[in-house]
Amino acid sequence: AHREGKNQILFFEPSLTERTQKRLTQESEILLAIEQRQFTLFLQPQVDMQTHQVLGAEALLRWPQRDGSLVLPAEVIPLAEELGVIVPLGNWVLEESCRILARWQHQGIKLPLAVNISVLQLLQQDFISHLKQLLVQHPIDPGKLQLEITETVRINDLEQVLGLLRELHDLGLSIVLDDFGMGYSSLNYLNHLKCLPIDLIKIDKSFIDGLPQDDAIVRIISSISGVLNLPIMAEGVETDAQRDWLLQHGIRYGQGFLFAEPLAREAFEARFCPPVQ
Ligand code: C2E
Ligand code: CA
Ligand code: CA
Ligand code: CA
């Protein structure tokens, strides 16, 4: 029987077997990394560009390697989504964020923390009940937890996502529409947005990159936010010229290397959270 089993492998496309093998290895690597707490969250400040005040932080996933390098989310998140391990990974991110917020609350640090949520994670049956459970385990002000959800929601899922966002908002969480302008946009969708419980729109970095020369899309997004009466934040602000353009056009909130790169929590706290008297 063993021999037969061995021979059967010959029926598969060798490259396919290799791919399957690779996927299985990657899947267990990610699961093991979660279990062994190898992941960490870096924090990047979000600022009021007018007053230079730090308003909060975005938590960004990092995977430190033995050699000291950091694996970035672009390598981990899409893979985790494809392999079906985005839920345990996303749950770890949410829990770690709650731990940070609980710690901050204890230390008198009043900043909110923004967490990226994969739509796949959001659409899980037990997402809300899991979140409620987390909020019981970590008694934090739910208003301090901001969920950044990318706008790239498939039209089929739109109704379901709308319902979920309302529920999350009712729990007191803040909802941020991430990467605005990148995904599904139609006039009908904008109509939906009007009744959505969204607290902030973030303009994707790719549109900020073009400033101050190519400003058409940022102007459009800015006027949409005006119509919807929603505040906006610019992502990926790197230059004084970009910041100046944004401020001149009434966009006060920003995030980017001009202010700070994502930092390890300790470094973030040392730099942006002065000890409370
Ligand atoms: P995002 O949500 O759009 O996050 C902003 C990305 O831009 C981050 O990349 C950040 O490090 C980077 N960034 C911020 N300011 C600048 C700048 O001035 N210049 C440049 N060149 N880059 C800047 P990062 O950390 O590599 O994350 C990439 C994406 O991965 C995020 O995009 C987000 O969609 C996703 N992601 C990150 N952490 C998580 C997570 O915990 N869960 C989930 N589901 N997705 C995550
Ligand atoms: Ca984000
Ligand atoms: Ca995003
Ligand atoms: Ca983005």
Side-chain angles (χ1 to χ4, degrees):
H2 183 67
R3 265 190 97 85
E4 248 171 46
K6 240 184 174 176
N7 287 340
Q8 268 173 3
I9 288 177
L10 295 175
F11 288 105
F12 293 105
E13 186 80 40
S15 65
L16 190 70
T17 321
E18 260 167 48
R19 265 218 325 267
T20 311
Q21 194 53 52
K22 188 165 180 223
R23 287 168 59 103
L24 284 173
T25 312
Q26 288 171 325
E27 184 185 336
S28 51
E29 263 173 13
I30 293 177
L31 289 173
L32 190 70
I34 298 170
E35 201 181 308
Q36 297 185 339
R37 305 192 173 272
Q38 290 177 18
F39 288 104
T40 186
L41 294 178
F42 270 35
L43 305 178
Q44 188 181 32
Q46 303 182 323
V47 304
D48 181 332
M49 297 187 284
Q50 204 162 311
T51 63
H52 304 285
Q53 193 194 353
V54 173
L55 303 170
E58 177 176 8
L60 295 157
L61 187 72
R62 296 290 182 268
W63 189 2
Q65 304 294 298
R66 274 178 218 278
D67 63 3
S69 63
L70 290 171
V71 173
L72 294 173
E75 274 188 63
V76 183
I77 299 292
L79 187 68
E81 286 182 335
E82 193 195 313
L83 296 172
V85 291
I86 188 65
V87 172
L89 182 57
N91 283 345
W92 178 84
V93 169
L94 259 181
E95 180 155 24
E96 181 66 9
S97 302
C98 288
R99 279 193 287 262
I100 293 174
L101 278 172
R103 191 189 149 94
W104 281 0
Q105 195 158 291
H106 184 70
Q107 296 178 343
I109 298 169
K110 295 197 168 60
L111 299 179
L113 187 61
V115 184
N116 293 285
I117 302 291
S118 157
V119 172
L120 284 178
Q121 191 187 357
L122 182 69
L123 289 173
Q124 282 296 305
Q125 282 260 298
D126 59 353
F127 180 76
I128 301 259
S129 62
H130 177 78
L131 195 62
K132 281 183 181 162
Q133 204 182 315
L134 272 183
L135 292 174
V136 171
Q137 282 165 3
H138 307 270
I140 55 165
D141 170 7
K144 291 273 189 284
L145 187 58
Q146 307 179 333
L147 302 185
E148 295 200 354
I149 295 160
T150 36
E151 187 216 3
T152 48
V153 175
R154 283 185 312 154
I155 183 159
N156 301 354
D157 300 328
L158 200 56
E159 282 300 324
Q160 198 189 344
V161 168
L162 298 192
L164 283 164
L165 294 188
R166 284 202 192 88
E167 253 187 276
L168 292 168
H169 204 255
D170 290 345
L171 284 175
L173 278 72
S174 305
I175 310 290
V176 177
L177 204 54
D178 208 354
D179 295 338
F180 192 80
M182 293 292 284
Y184 176 64
S185 311
S186 74
L187 296 178
N188 180 42
Y189 165 75
L190 289 179
N191 241 341
H192 274 293
L193 271 187
K194 227 168 38 187
C195 36
L196 260 183
I198 285 181
D199 302 286
L200 179 77
I201 289 177
K202 278 178 93 169
I203 311 177
D204 190 63
K205 175 179 179 298
S206 57
F207 304 122
I208 304 303
D209 286 343
L211 296 179
Q213 289 83 19
D214 305 329
D215 62 1
I217 293 177
V218 179
R219 278 176 188 275
I220 291 170
I221 294 176
S222 170
S223 66
I224 291 173
S225 86
V227 172
L228 298 171
N229 200 15
L230 283 172
I232 40 179
M233 179 178 287
E235 175 189 278
V237 182
E238 291 183 344
T239 67
D240 288 327
Q242 290 169 343
R243 181 201 48 206
D244 294 345
W245 189 98
L246 290 162
L247 282 173
Q248 272 157 25
H249 292 80
I251 300 172
R252 276 180 73 159
Y253 308 136
Q255 189 179 339
F257 292 177
L258 182 63
F259 312 107
E261 289 183 19
L263 300 165
R265 181 181 53 76
E266 296 81 0
F268 177 91
E269 289 170 359
R271 192 159 148 198
F272 299 109
C273 308
V276 189
Q277 314 297 302

